[in-house]
Amino acid sequence: MAFEPKILAFSCNWCSYAAADLAGASRMQYPANLRIVRVMCSGMVHPNLVMEAFSKGADGVMVLGCHPGECHYLDGNIKAQARLAVVEEMLDAYGLEPERFRLAWCSSAEAERFVEVVTEMTEAVRGLGPNPFRPTRPEDAQEVA
Amino acid sequence: MTLTEVREVSGQAGDFTVRLLEHPRYVDMDKCIACGECARKCPKKVDDEYNQGLGKRKAIYVKYPQAVPLKYQIDPENCIYLKNRKCGACVQACPAGAIDFNQKPREKTVRVGSMILTPGLKPFDPAGIRTWGYDVFPNVITSLELERYLSVSGPTEGRLARPSDGRPVKRMAFLQCVGSRDLNKAGHGYCSGVCCMYALKEAMIAKDHEPDLDVSIFFVDMRTHGKDFERYYNRAKEAGVKFRRCRVHSLEPAEQNGGVYLRYITDRGKQVGAEYDLVVLSVGLETPPSAAELAGRCKVGLNQNLFAERGGFQPVQAKGRPGMFVSGAFAGPHDIPQSVTEASAAAAAASLPLARVRHSLTREKRFPPERDVRGEEPRVGVFVCHCGNNIAGVIDVEELAAYAAKLPKVAHVERNLFTCSQDTQELLKKTIQEQSLNRIVVAACTPRTHEPLFKETLKASGLNENLLDMANIRNQGSWVHQAEPEKATEKAKDLVRMSVAKVALLTPAPPLTVEVKQSALVVGGGLAGLVSAHGLAEMGYPVHLVELTSRLGGSALHLYQTWRGEPVEGKLDSIIRKVTSHPLITVHLNSKVSGAEGFVGNFLSTIQGPQGETQVEHGVGIMAVGGRAHKPGEYGYGEHRRVFTALEFDKLHTLGDSRVRGGKTFVFIQCVGSREPERPYCSRVCCTHSVQAAIELKEQDPTRKVFILYRDIRTYGQREEVYRRAREAGVVFINYDMHEKPRLRLDNPDMVEVLVWDHVLHEPFRIPTDVLILATAIVPNDLNKELARIYKLPVDADGFLQEAHAKLRPVDFATDGLFLAGLAHYPKPVEETVTQAQAAMARAATVLAKTRIDLDSIKARVIEERCDGCALCVDVCPYHAITLEEVQGEPGRKLVRIEAAKCKGCGCCQATCPKLGVEVAGFTYEQLASQVAAALA
Amino acid sequence: MSQEMIGAVMVVGGGIAGMQAALDLADGGYYVYLVERSGAIGGAMAQLDKTFPTNDCSM
């Protein structure tokens, strides 16, 4: 069985989560590797939370917010961008590739963009291989068996 | 009520009886779950009017994916069954049994106190008029079609391709004023007011998609008179969009390549031509026939442009028809912010006469008392929805349910065909009570649409509404992984596991409510302040009106007529009298606000007046401190006795000053101080004002020579009528450019010599002028900045107050309970000021109508043991809801405090805090981390 | 005024203006009938490419 990455996305309620819903309503298809954690604003995502996801074995983490200027809370997304810059440094310290983390913007109408971003990310992470911190999972055990 | 029409209206203001006709939808709204199975099976394809006929829809359809209500409908014109009693594919396909071909048109009669008519607009149809070649050349499209082509949800998914052959578009041209400002071809004399902006927007979006795209806009006048519109125009110029001032006189097929060839005359008088791949007609707005019919049935008068008749001081009142109000594009060609503002104004005006019977027909919902679940171990109930076949058709729901039952803390698992259906809500309630569940997970569709429904059910069963989480296994599960049922099932398990982990950590949050002080503060005693203060007082709310000067009236004191020619003075006097004599209004003259604290429903402001300071409590505040006329430092102003600003000229004109009375040659210079690098906005009112004044000068003495030197004439909307009359009266309009401003010779005290480049004769033109009138900018009041500081409101780059959302919340501030109106927001004429003041009053009334208001429970709170008072969260809070305060009795120890009423729950504080000392209810670090951990378990 | 007054308002047209008027009236304490000819509210604005976060209607 090929490596199936597990990708976590923190999606803001107003834009990217809505885009994900719309992708469903439009029956667009994307890889089933994504797990979305709904947040009210991308500005709510603490850098430690992202790092916690990596330490628990997420192969990729995304933070998806509204386009600059369209944040429901004035500029939470801009704050997210500034604050999450530190994640790259931390990844470096952990010895993880910067491509495992991505911050992207996506409006509530941009289902297509959502699908594109998620698909790209999945493929990119698939190419990187598993997160070395990834604990052994039942499905991996099956692989060996 | 959808698919419903007004048939007949009887009665009078306060008590109308309206007969309605509801057309059958053939789909039971209560049963339809909008899964779309019916449309997939429907064999009949129809042109999709939502996509401007560029795509297809089925005979059973929703207008667009985000439609409200999101319920399918059958188009009887195209349904095979309704036509021939054959087919019925949708009946077979519908998992909910919602199709009902037996529905019949139904009549209904309702009684209402007022009516608001907003039947909307229709884009002008350029078909049949040869000049524009719309139905002749495939590569000539309308701006609305382009809008759909540019949209990712449109027929080409956002790619720009030539309709004729699908080849990429390299050169594109917009033709402005198609169906506007054109009595000959279109029969519309008015300016549609929106086309310049949307052409700019579309040009910019198109260039975004395709950076090398060559875009030209052929225009008569660029009318970017709205807030921040001029900046957008400037950006478009910088982005390389080409602007050509001319009407294109003919379109021909290009000799090769299938493009379109345009012939036009440049502003230097040269005839040229060029070829384009795509020509976009910027079509105007008009009143659709159905709206004219509605007007007839409601006995609302329309003017020659087929817009509703109304006056400048009662801008949303249908003229001569008490109890009927109009707004939106039915009232005139308006853009979105103007429509939204008018809508709120209409709500205010329509409800004002009914203030006595407010709340007489509305009811509040009641819920059983909440069970206290603190101290109980979490007992999670998981409800797995099949959504007919939408979920169950892909995901193995039995396996999912069995999996969920084994998760820790899960006490009960159940599957439902439709968890959202009405009867299931009853079942849910019973199960919650019988099984004493205290946390609920619904694995179904998206919380964005269904969370409110399940929250109600929780409340109805005696549980706090916040003890719920939804696992989105449909929109983000079965629907997006249709071909991978196993993976979709695995993902659904993860999502349920994440929800169960989170829900176990959720805590009941008592609904937050705050008391509303039933009174208002209005800052500014100009027209906007007067109108809103008077309206709120008439609604029964006490008002404090604060005016800096010794006199009410503001800038309107210097105006003498509206663009329709209605005198201002009498109306202004009358409203000042009503305000000063109103028992519920306290007027504070020579006063200003010097300090304020509090939040929606509970503001406490300090008014500094001649007698010292007074403090007033108020539930809402309206900021209407006005603006002022710019005093120019150019064109000989202040140096020459025959150079005046427009307002000074009005005064001299009215007083019969000899320089004006005896004057033979008058020159108006437009844009003095506006649209300049230091003031890059249009002052909106000056073109109309100069044109009107010019007409009067000509009417008084037709032998006078009157010149208007302009950059673009911006007599937007129906004001175009005034411009047309001026040209007919012989007023001469001469265009000038920013880099070729008119020059003056001022050495003769009895005459000003004006020199301007003449584009017709191509030489400098010399005008010996008796009176030179400078159409000066409207600039913001310095008070804006002071108010901004006191109430923590945003001010834009030009110094005007910044509304919460330029389009959708044009009179609100981001801070709840505070509103704005008048020149403090942006330059605007009398009728728009009155509209905005009424809108602010309607918005304020939505707060004051309640004695207590519920606050959203998603709020940040401080965890005092962890907070070390570093205050990093104070700066990031976009709502200024966090303050740093010393702990009482512990000198030196500081903690942050959060004003719940100001907090909107964005969580920027939570993500900033290095100590995890602030958290947002329902989205705490621990709760989010539990989801992360569960996802990766 | 002796005439009976009805504490309800009818808004004809479910475009952006109609929706805003209906919301303000409902929040202001009046019963609102929002009457729309077509099958869904939203009006002309829903056709514009640049849409903003979904406007939910109170109805």
Side-chain angles (χ1 to χ4, degrees):
Chain A
M1 209 162 90
F3 160 60
E4 281 300 338
K6 209 159 219 186
I7 292 167
L8 214 66
F10 296 95
S11 281
C12 84
N13 182 57
W14 308 101
C15 294
S16 59
Y17 193 90
D21 282 348
L22 182 60
S26 319
R27 306 296 197 274
M28 295 173 182
Q29 305 293 303
Y30 57 84
N33 305 58
L34 183 74
R35 303 291 178 267
I36 292 183
V37 175
R38 182 168 72 114
V39 290
M40 294 311 285
C41 178
S42 52
M44 172 182 263
V45 182
H46 201 292
N48 290 357
L49 203 54
V50 175
M51 294 319 293
E52 207 170 315
F54 282 116
S55 69
K56 293 216 156 75
D59 299 305
V61 177
M62 290 193 283
V63 174
L64 303 172
C66 309
H67 284 289
E70 292 179 7
C71 173
H72 189 77
Y73 305 99
L74 310 181
D75 59 354
N77 48 358
I78 305 295
K79 287 172 186 148
Q81 187 171 31
R83 196 187 291 126
L84 292 168
V86 74
V87 167
E88 273 184 40
E89 286 170 35
M90 294 206 271
L91 283 178
D92 194 42
Y94 274 55
L96 289 171
E97 301 83 347
E99 293 81 15
R100 290 189 188 272
F101 175 69
R102 185 165 174 193
L103 178 70
W105 313 134
C106 173
S107 85
S108 60
E110 292 175 337
E112 185 157 297
R113 177 171 161 77
F114 176 85
V115 168
E116 203 179 285
V117 169
V118 168
T119 311
E120 268 173 30
M121 180 74 176
T122 312
E123 292 321 313
V125 174
R126 198 191 298 278
L128 293 174
N131 172 356
F133 295 98
R134 180 168 144 129
T136 320
R137 295 210 186 93
E139 66 259 33
D140 298 334
Q142 277 169 14
E143 221 173 290
V144 181
Chain B
M1 297 181 206
T2 50
L3 295 168
T4 304
E5 277 183 273
V6 171
R7 301 301 300 174
E8 193 188 356
V9 182
S10 55
Q12 54 182 325
D15 186 3
F16 289 112
T17 301
V18 189
R19 201 155 60 76
L20 298 168
L21 183 69
E22 187 192 1
H23 297 282
R25 177 182 282 268
Y26 303 110
V27 173
D28 185 332
M29 300 249 279
D30 294 333
K31 291 187 182 157
C32 174
I33 51 157
C35 65
E37 281 306 315
C38 51
R40 260 182 293 284
K41 298 284 154 57
C42 176
K44 177 77 180 179
K45 279 190 179 168
V46 186
D47 282 345
D48 181 4
E49 45 293 77
Y50 173 69
N51 271 325
Q52 291 292 308
L54 300 174
K56 295 283 182 196
R57 64 161 171 83
K58 297 294 186 65
I60 184 162
Y61 70 109
V62 279
K63 259 167 87 179
Y64 51 95
Q66 301 92 335
V68 177
L70 191 56
K71 303 287 173 187
Y72 276 73
Q73 68 184 88
I74 293 177
D75 159 13
E77 294 301 308
N78 290 298
C79 172
I80 302 170
Y81 183 87
L82 287 169
K83 288 271 184 210
N84 313 322
R85 299 281 142 192
K86 274 186 224 140
C87 184
C90 50
V91 181
Q92 300 291 317
C94 181
I99 313 289
D100 178 4
F101 284 117
N102 295 321
Q103 286 185 1
K104 297 276 174 294
R106 280 190 302 180
E107 276 215 6
K108 259 187 215 160
T109 302
V110 297
R111 283 172 74 194
V112 295
S114 303
M115 290 183 74
I116 298 177
L117 309 183
T118 67
L121 56 93
K122 170 179 162 302
F124 176 76
D125 179 7
I129 299 169
R130 287 201 62 89
T131 332
W132 294 314
Y134 175 61
D135 35 7
V136 183
F137 308 123
N139 293 333
V140 176
I141 64 172
T142 68
S143 45
L144 239 78
E145 287 168 341
L146 178 64
E147 191 86 34
R148 299 312 308 154
Y149 278 122
L150 291 173
S151 169
V152 286
S153 64
T156 58
E157 292 166 347
R159 276 189 322 276
L160 203 51
R162 291 207 312 208
S164 64
D165 51 13
R167 282 169 47 186
V169 173
K170 296 234 175 346
R171 284 166 58 82
M172 175 161 80
F174 286 86
L175 308 190
Q176 296 306 105
C177 296
V178 172
S180 306
R181 307 179 65 186
D182 185 348
L183 277 169
N184 293 334
K185 292 196 287 285
H188 293 330
Y190 57 86
C191 153
S192 290
V194 299
C195 330
C196 284
M197 273 319 292
Y198 74 58
L200 284 174
K201 177 192 79 173
E202 291 180 356
M204 291 290 268
I205 295 176
K207 275 189 87 75
D208 261 2
H209 289 214
E210 211 54 70
D212 296 331
L213 186 71
D214 178 298
V215 186
S216 295
I217 297 183
F218 291 86
F219 68 100
V220 184
D221 295 285
M222 272 321 277
R223 292 189 169 168
T224 47
H225 47 272
K227 191 168 180 169
D228 275 338
F229 292 5
E230 187 76 13
R231 277 198 172 79
Y232 201 108
Y233 179 25
N234 291 339
R235 275 207 304 279
K237 281 189 257 187
E238 282 160 23
V241 176
K242 294 169 193 157
F243 291 88
R244 303 182 195 280
R245 186 188 299 276
C246 58
R247 284 226 193 211
V248 170
H249 55 78
S250 70
L251 277 75
E252 298 159 21
E255 285 179 13
Q256 290 154 358
N257 295 329
V260 182
Y261 192 77
L262 302 186
R263 283 182 199 281
Y264 60 96
I265 298 166
T266 66
D267 54 0
R268 293 289 184 242
K270 239 174 82 188
Q271 176 158 345
V272 289
E275 198 180 312
Y276 293 91
D277 293 310
L278 190 65
V279 173
V280 182
L281 304 179
S282 291
V283 290
L285 312 179
E286 63 185 20
T287 299
S290 60
E293 255 171 57
L294 175 71
R297 287 181 192 146
C298 297
K299 301 187 192 68
V300 162
L302 301 182
N303 64 18
Q304 80 275 12
N305 297 327
L306 295 184
F307 295 112
E309 288 255 33
R310 60 218 180 96
F313 288 89
Q314 291 183 308
V316 293
Q317 160 77 59
K319 210 170 184 177
R321 187 76 166 110
M324 295 269 184
F325 303 88
V326 297
S327 64
F330 183 56
H334 295 328
D335 58 2
I336 295 169
Q338 181 65 10
S339 296
V340 174
T341 308
E342 272 189 0
S344 288
S351 60
L352 197 56
L354 307 175
R356 203 160 51 79
V357 288
R358 181 168 58 225
H359 296 306
S360 64
L361 291 174
T362 49
R363 279 178 305 278
E364 275 185 44
K365 279 195 181 162
R366 301 214 169 273
F367 294 102
E370 249 175 53
R371 197 175 100 216
D372 188 358
V373 301
R374 284 169 306 172
E376 289 179 18
E377 270 299 298
R379 287 179 57 79
V380 181
V382 179
F383 296 84
V384 177
C385 179
H386 291 195
C387 196
N389 216 22
N390 277 296
I391 293 172
V394 177
I395 289 168
D396 186 337
V397 282
E398 270 177 58
E399 192 186 323
L400 178 62
Y403 175 80
K406 288 192 212 126
L407 289 170
K409 305 204 165 89
V410 171
H412 179 84
V413 181
E414 194 174 296
R415 288 184 284 124
N416 315 106
L417 185 56
F418 295 108
T419 310
C420 63
S421 71
Q422 208 48 55
D423 45 327
T424 311
Q425 300 318 295
E426 290 305 313
L427 211 74
L428 241 71
K429 228 162 77 182
K430 230 175 86 200
T431 314
I432 291 172
Q433 286 161 347
E434 284 175 5
Q435 305 276 333
S436 11
L437 302 176
N438 56 20
R439 303 286 191 286
I440 304 300
V441 169
V442 179
C445 50
T446 167
R448 286 178 46 86
T449 57
H450 280 69
E451 201 177 57
L453 172 80
F454 295 120
K455 282 189 163 187
E456 294 273 295
T457 306
L458 258 69
K459 280 203 282 192
S461 54
L463 271 188
N464 183 277
E465 59 175 358
N466 297 307
L467 301 171
L468 166 80
D469 197 56
M470 287 185 71
N472 191 340
I473 61 169
R474 187 186 76 174
N475 293 47
Q476 299 175 8
S478 61
W479 277 355
V480 287
H481 312 303
Q482 287 171 324
E484 302 175 296
E486 274 161 38
K487 285 186 181 171
T489 305
E490 283 312 306
K491 179 172 177 180
K493 286 182 189 170
D494 282 6
L495 293 177
V496 169
R497 193 170 63 233
M498 290 160 72
S499 276
V500 169
K502 180 182 181 185
V503 85
L505 295 175
L506 290 178
T507 49
L512 289 168
T513 68
V514 289
E515 194 192 330
V516 177
K517 298 274 182 323
Q518 303 278 304
S519 61
L521 174 75
V522 177
V523 188
L527 186 59
L530 290 165
V531 168
S532 48
H534 179 251
L536 285 169
E538 282 290 286
M539 288 177 173
Y541 304 112
V543 180
H544 287 275
L545 177 62
V546 181
E547 166 59 37
L548 183 67
T549 69
S550 58
R551 195 177 167 194
L552 295 175
S555 296
L557 291 168
H558 308 294
L559 305 179
Y560 89 106
Q561 64 176 4
T562 68
W563 75 268
R564 289 190 177 85
E566 302 143 304
V568 170
E569 198 182 341
K571 289 282 185 185
L572 187 63
D573 282 351
S574 129
I575 183 153
I576 291 175
R577 266 200 312 280
K578 284 187 203 156
V579 163
T580 44
S581 64
H582 203 291
L584 289 178
I585 302 179
T586 314
V587 179
H588 303 261
L589 291 175
N590 301 307
S591 302
K592 63 181 190 174
V593 174
S594 57
E597 54 185 277
F599 45 84
V600 58
N602 295 274
F603 292 101
L604 180 68
S605 296
T606 307
I607 300 170
Q608 175 124 42
Q611 268 80 48
E613 287 189 346
T614 19
Q615 290 206 312
V616 295
E617 288 184 321
H618 54 105
V620 295
I622 296 179
M623 306 298 143
V625 289
R628 55 187 177 82
H630 167 63
K631 293 284 176 211
E634 57 184 336
Y635 296 123
Y637 181 76
E639 293 171 47
H640 197 287
R641 52 187 289 271
R642 287 178 176 272
V643 180
F644 309 108
T645 68
L647 290 179
E648 291 164 353
F649 166 77
D650 273 356
K651 221 154 259 162
L652 297 177
H653 191 188
T654 328
L655 294 173
D657 182 273
S658 62
R659 286 166 292 189
V660 177
R661 206 176 54 229
K664 281 291 176 195
T665 306
F666 294 80
V667 172
F668 292 81
I669 300 180
Q670 298 304 110
C671 296
V672 178
S674 302
R675 305 178 63 193
E676 295 271 356
E678 75 270 23
R679 220 171 281 106
Y681 62 86
C682 163
S683 292
R684 198 170 172 103
V685 300
C686 345
C687 279
T688 308
H689 180 274
S690 296
V691 170
Q692 255 182 313
I695 294 174
E696 275 178 29
L697 288 170
K698 279 298 248 189
E699 278 172 353
Q700 284 158 3
D701 179 356
T703 66
R704 277 173 174 163
K705 287 187 190 148
V706 183
F707 299 88
I708 296 185
L709 314 185
Y710 71 98
R711 287 170 60 194
D712 291 278
I713 287 289
R714 292 183 169 174
T715 46
Y716 58 95
Q718 301 189 75
R719 288 163 176 76
E720 184 69 11
E721 168 76 17
V722 183
Y723 182 28
R724 192 176 52 77
R725 272 185 19 231
R727 280 172 306 179
E728 280 169 10
V731 176
V732 179
F733 289 85
I734 300 174
N735 182 243
Y736 77 86
D737 272 337
M738 256 303 271
H739 57 270
E740 271 179 332
K741 281 187 174 183
R743 281 173 297 128
L744 305 181
R745 284 187 57 187
L746 301 162
D747 41 6
N748 181 346
D750 295 318
M751 186 267 281
V752 180
E753 191 174 287
V754 180
L755 284 157
V756 64
W757 183 267
D758 187 311
H759 289 297
V760 182
L761 302 173
H762 304 292
E763 57 183 35
F765 183 54
R766 199 182 67 85
I767 313 169
T769 305
D770 295 320
V771 180
L772 177 65
I773 302 127
L774 307 178
T776 49
I778 294 177
V779 295
N781 222 316
D782 299 334
L783 277 175
N784 275 356
K785 290 216 168 83
E786 225 170 288
L787 279 182
R789 184 180 50 77
I790 293 169
Y791 290 100
K792 304 198 170 64
L793 304 171
V795 173
D796 71 11
D798 300 319
F800 294 107
L801 293 174
Q802 185 67 55
E803 63 273 32
H805 190 290
K807 298 252 179 303
L808 300 177
R809 293 177 66 196
V811 299
D812 300 10
F813 283 111
T815 309
D816 287 340
L818 297 179
F819 308 92
L820 78 169
L823 300 182
H825 161 260
Y826 191 71
K828 60 176 67 66
V830 166
E831 63 171 1
E832 290 170 21
T833 295
V834 174
T835 306
Q836 211 180 12
Q838 288 180 325
M841 160 186 141
R843 301 292 301 146
T846 63
V847 176
L848 296 176
K850 303 176 186 82
T851 49
R852 299 193 69 81
I853 40 174
D854 294 334
L855 305 175
D856 196 336
S857 61
I858 303 173
K859 300 277 180 201
R861 59 181 174 234
V862 184
I863 304 163
E864 297 196 356
E865 313 84 81
R866 294 187 191 157
C867 174
D868 65 357
C870 73
L872 284 175
C873 54
V874 175
D875 292 335
V876 296
C877 177
Y879 304 100
H880 308 285
I882 311 181
T883 47
L884 185 66
E885 286 176 11
E886 191 153 292
V887 184
Q888 262 191 341
E890 288 182 59
R893 182 171 175 229
K894 287 182 172 175
L895 286 179
V896 294
R897 200 173 66 85
I898 295 168
E899 193 81 80
K902 287 185 183 169
C903 171
K904 307 232 183 210
C906 66
C908 285
C909 51
Q910 174 171 317
T912 304
C913 182
K915 300 275 158 57
L916 302 181
V918 229
E919 60 180 24
V920 175
F923 295 90
T924 68
Y925 189 95
E926 285 83 359
Q927 288 160 1
L928 296 179
S930 75
Q931 281 181 288
V932 169
L936 302 167
Chain C
M1 212 191 282
S2 60
Q3 182 212 336
E4 191 186 347
M5 278 203 282
I6 312 291
V9 179
M10 178 174 291
V11 178
V12 188
I16 179 68
M19 292 192 292
Q20 181 66 48
L23 286 169
D24 285 343
L25 284 162
D27 287 341
Y30 299 90
Y31 194 90
V32 183
Y33 298 96
L34 179 57
V35 174
E36 162 64 32
R37 286 176 73 240
S38 80
I41 59 174
M45 194 173 152
Q47 273 185 318
L48 302 184
D49 169 46
K50 209 113 174 81
T51 55
F52 295 81
T54 326
N55 314 306
D56 281 332
C57 174
S58 68
M59 296 287 291

